[in-house]
Amino acid sequence: DIEMTQSPSSLSASVGDRVTITCRASQDIYNFLAWYQQRPGKVPELLIYDASTLQSGVPSRFSGSGSGTDFTLTISSLQPEDVATYYCQKYNRVPLTFGGGTKVEIK
Amino acid sequence: QVQLVESGGGVVQPGRSLTLSCAVSGFTFSSYTIHWVRQAPGKGLEWVADISYDGSNKYYADSVKGRFTISRDNSKNTLYLQMNTLRVEDTAVYYCARDHYRSGSYYMDYWGQGTLVTVSS
């Protein structure tokens, strides 16, 4: 099965900073990658699908890029409401697999 | 608005069974693949199973294959997860989530609030 590795596992940044999270697949998954945000105590929410398509209603400071095995989620200007754990998920075929998560905090 | 509401969680002894339900409203249930995803306390997300719009295709994670059964009743707008031979490591919040598409396994665009299953003696 394909493994999804996220890095870093956690980060702390200041409001307004540019934040980048990386997700690496153990095999080529083309662009079949989604990103989710899970705020503390809340349900996961879809941010991005097909590696770079923003889900409706998601702020434009979020963006995704990459294809093949290496992907990134970027927050262009970190806001207090972005404190959350972020997960990537591959869907080229079952089993669907999530990355281990990246916890983002405000410095 | 789209709503998915899970129920049926609780405390159960190892080796016993439990059935979760997910009642759906706000969209045409019979037109979408639906997933179960779980999250152990303080841990990450783990996909458990999914079922296509008409129930003809079902897929499972290796960790639950042979023990869990996913099913749906489109006349009742309800998804189910029959969990047998439960293990301590099955302890988690179980979410139902709608896939973006009717068939195939892709990504989840709407999630329920989850129901907690605790497996403990």
Side-chain angles (χ1 to χ4, degrees):
Chain A
D1 292 346
I2 297 174
E3 293 185 359
M4 305 300 294
T5 304
Q6 283 184 237
S7 60
S9 56
S10 66
L11 66 88
S12 181
S14 300
V15 172
D17 282 355
R18 184 181 184 88
V19 169
T20 298
I21 298 168
T22 297
C23 178
R24 176 163 289 176
S26 60
Q27 298 175 32
D28 188 343
I29 60 169
Y30 306 96
N31 69 332
F32 295 115
L33 188 96
W35 289 96
Y36 300 86
Q37 175 193 64
Q38 187 176 31
R39 294 186 173 106
K42 301 297 185 182
V43 172
E45 295 184 1
L46 177 66
L47 292 176
I48 287 168
Y49 59 92
D50 293 346
S52 61
T53 302
L54 209 61
Q55 171 71 344
S56 175
V58 173
S60 59
R61 63 180 179 274
F62 291 93
S63 65
S65 64
S67 66
T69 60
D70 294 316
F71 303 87
T72 58
L73 172 70
T74 300
I75 308 173
S76 60
S77 177
L78 187 67
Q79 300 301 304
E81 60 267 32
D82 301 335
V83 168
T85 300
Y86 294 83
Y87 296 94
C88 61
Q89 177 233 322
K90 69 91 176 170
Y91 51 92
N92 59 315
R93 60 176 178 268
V94 290
L96 306 184
T97 310
F98 291 89
T102 297
K103 187 175 183 179
V104 175
E105 298 176 321
I106 299 291
K107 193 180 294 183
Chain B
Q1 72 277 26
V2 172
Q3 281 196 311
L4 300 96
V5 180
E6 303 90 341
S7 61
V11 180
V12 61
Q13 292 179 327
R16 305 297 292 264
S17 299
L18 198 64
T19 299
L20 306 183
S21 299
C22 171
V24 160
S25 61
F27 67 96
T28 305
F29 178 66
S30 60
S31 293
Y32 290 89
T33 290
I34 308 289
H35 302 264
W36 286 103
V37 177
R38 68 185 181 182
Q39 186 169 35
K43 302 298 183 182
L45 300 171
E46 180 188 14
W47 173 79
V48 173
D50 70 47
I51 184 168
S52 60
Y53 69 103
D54 60 355
S56 61
N57 293 302
K58 305 175 184 180
Y59 299 99
Y60 299 91
D62 286 346
S63 58
V64 306
K65 201 173 294 183
R67 299 188 300 122
F68 290 12
T69 300
I70 190 171
S71 62
R72 64 192 297 161
D73 186 337
N74 285 348
S75 69
K76 295 183 178 179
N77 286 353
T78 303
L79 174 76
Y80 303 98
L81 186 68
Q82 171 71 41
M83 303 185 295
N84 297 330
T85 320
L86 282 160
R87 304 168 180 167
V88 171
E89 55 266 34
D90 294 320
T91 295
V93 173
Y94 285 73
Y95 298 101
C96 60
R98 190 187 85 168
D99 197 284
H100 190 68
Y101 295 100
R102 65 184 296 163
S103 189
S105 308
Y106 296 92
Y107 49 89
M108 302 93 177
D109 55 6
Y110 288 94
W111 296 62
Q113 291 299 309
T115 186
L116 177 63
V117 173
T118 302
V119 184
S120 174
S121 55

